[in-house]
Amino acid sequence: METHPIALDAAFLFKGAPNDQCQAPHMGYVLKGKYGMRTADGVEEVYEAGDAFFVGPGHTPITFAGCEIVYFTRTEEANRELPVAAANMMKYMQEQGMQAPADQPSPQSGED
């Protein structure tokens, strides 16, 4: 589940991934506001509250202020994409003078 407080073309999150795009398919549902995806061929799809969506490999997200979504990604595919996106997010946060959240153990890690 994600909440996006600001509008953002989040393509930068996938710089360094194959074709600089997310390669994991997602199924999701927009709870509030609008959420978008730009596909490999440059098509932009915008989904609004109440819309369900599926996006295949080769896309980048576009967030709108106030958007709330829930989406599902297979664990192995999410684990493959996460390192690139997390590193790019940390770099972005540093460039914006933002404080990164404190590290918290992952529920899958078995740490307390």
Side-chain angles (χ1 to χ4, degrees), residues 55-97:
V55 61
H59 62 270
T60 57
I62 304 165
T63 67
F64 294 82
C67 172
E68 293 180 9
I69 64 167
V70 60
Y71 70 94
F72 303 91
T73 307
R74 291 181 181 192
T75 301
E76 62 272 9
E77 292 167 334
N79 287 342
R80 186 181 61 237
E81 300 297 320
L82 188 58
V84 171
N88 286 327
M89 178 57 80
M90 293 299 290
K91 180 180 175 186
Y92 173 80
M93 290 177 71
Q94 289 173 345
E95 290 170 351
Q96 300 301 311

Side-chain angles (χ1 to χ4, degrees), residues 32-67:
K32 180 180 175 185
K34 296 189 297 185
Y35 184 72
M37 291 284 182
R38 183 176 297 113
T39 62
D41 56 7
V43 174
E44 291 183 12
E45 294 283 340
V46 177
Y47 309 99
E48 297 188 25
D51 288 345
F53 63 88
F54 173 81
V55 61
H59 62 270
T60 57
I62 304 165
T63 67
F64 294 82
C67 172

